[in-house]
Amino acid sequence: MLEKSRIVRGRGLLWLLLVLLLTQASAFRTVVIDPGHGGKDDGAKRYGVKEKDLNLDTAKRLEKILKRHGLHVVMTRRSDRYLRLQERAKIANRYQDAIFISIHYNAHRDASVKGIETFYATLAGRKLAAGIQDLLTRRIGTRNRGIKVGKQYAVLNKTRLVSVLVEGGFISNPWERRRLNGAWYRQIVAEQIAKGILIHR
Ligand SMILES: [Zn+2]
């Protein structure tokens, strides 16, 4: 009898540990959204379409969806202002139970280059990036450029959180620029990123 209860208690502890580990791995209450560029830094720009504006608009749409799902949202900027990359990382690092999403749109010298790609810096970030990239390209018909290691991005390697950087399309590609200049497109980008975040929970 004594032996048996010891085993049962041992198993119970193991289960408790497992549950704790699993819930710890994915527990986050806060999403730090970082609309790339801003103020004097336009980011990519073609024919009057500025990346900084698209980033901020997409970020606000994402914020609205996440709040509706009960998540706490922090924005690194919510107006057209300049913020250094270190400042963005510093804001993110104030939170522990959080993930970090940086929103960008792309540009290339070759106007035929198009598509969506998502960057990450750590293994935990890779999982989140893969989920978001999959959901984005499943809904948006463009080239799937895949997930990539983005250790060169200060916002990724200076944040202690699970962090990803989404490049939602190329401003330099005429076909894609027309699309991402439309509110409907940025709404879809926001919705798919939100889904990727919510399943990661
Ligand atoms: Zn950018």
Side-chain angles (χ1 to χ4, degrees), residues 3-67:
E3 284 297 293
K4 198 180 171 192
S5 69
R6 240 186 225 162
I7 291 165
V8 170
R9 206 182 302 152
R11 272 196 196 148
L13 269 172
L14 266 176
W15 275 114
L16 187 69
L17 262 172
L18 191 67
V19 167
L20 272 174
L21 269 172
L22 284 173
T23 47
Q24 280 227 315
S26 59
F28 64 89
R29 230 179 49 79
T30 302
V31 180
V32 181
I33 305 175
D34 174 46
H37 312 279
K40 65 180 181 185
D41 174 14
D42 287 337
K45 187 171 71 173
R46 297 287 192 283
Y47 302 100
V49 179
K50 292 175 184 170
E51 185 197 345
K52 63 173 183 178
D53 299 330
L54 304 181
N55 295 342
L56 183 60
D57 178 80
T58 310
K60 284 182 174 170
R61 291 171 189 274
L62 176 61
E63 177 190 28
K64 206 177 275 179
I65 302 167
L66 294 177
K67 279 186 169 168

Side-chain angles (χ1 to χ4, degrees), residues 16-200:
L16 187 69
L17 262 172
L18 191 67
V19 167
L20 272 174
L21 269 172
L22 284 173
T23 47
Q24 280 227 315
S26 59
F28 64 89
R29 230 179 49 79
T30 302
V31 180
V32 181
I33 305 175
D34 174 46
H37 312 279
K40 65 180 181 185
D41 174 14
D42 287 337
K45 187 171 71 173
R46 297 287 192 283
Y47 302 100
V49 179
K50 292 175 184 170
E51 185 197 345
K52 63 173 183 178
D53 299 330
L54 304 181
N55 295 342
L56 183 60
D57 178 80
T58 310
K60 284 182 174 170
R61 291 171 189 274
L62 176 61
E63 177 190 28
K64 206 177 275 179
I65 302 167
L66 294 177
K67 279 186 169 168
R68 219 185 291 141
H69 283 87
L71 279 164
H72 175 227
V73 177
V74 174
M75 303 272 278
T76 57
R77 67 176 178 102
R78 42 174 50 264
S79 62
D80 183 19
R81 73 184 189 97
Y82 177 71
L83 255 179
R84 286 184 306 125
L85 296 172
Q86 287 84 346
E87 293 174 76
R88 296 171 196 264
K90 213 170 125 190
I91 293 170
N93 288 334
R94 279 184 209 143
Y95 302 90
Q96 283 195 321
D97 58 343
I99 59 169
F100 179 85
I101 314 278
S102 193
I103 294 174
H104 289 252
Y105 290 89
N106 234 328
H108 198 281
R109 264 168 297 165
D110 179 351
S112 72
V113 174
K114 63 175 196 279
I116 294 171
E117 56 196 13
T118 307
F119 292 87
Y120 64 93
T122 63
L123 207 60
R126 186 183 202 280
K127 204 179 148 206
L128 178 63
I132 290 174
Q133 177 70 15
D134 179 54
L135 284 157
L136 280 170
T137 51
R138 222 189 278 175
R139 179 110 180 260
I140 300 169
T142 186
R143 187 164 296 148
N144 183 351
R145 303 173 61 85
I147 55 167
K148 296 168 180 179
V149 177
K151 285 196 175 131
Q152 71 272 28
Y153 294 116
V155 285
L156 292 186
N157 64 38
K158 288 203 166 35
T159 46
R160 283 195 297 267
L161 310 175
V162 169
S163 41
V164 302
L165 187 148
V166 178
E167 292 276 6
F170 280 77
I171 292 179
S172 48
N173 179 274
W175 173 76
E176 204 147 61
R177 179 173 59 248
R178 250 194 322 274
R179 282 156 57 99
L180 50 89
N181 205 20
W184 63 270
Y185 182 96
R186 298 191 300 274
Q187 181 63 26
I188 291 175
V189 170
E191 281 169 14
Q192 298 308 93
I193 295 175
K195 277 184 205 162
I197 291 169
L198 292 165
I199 36 172
H200 193 79

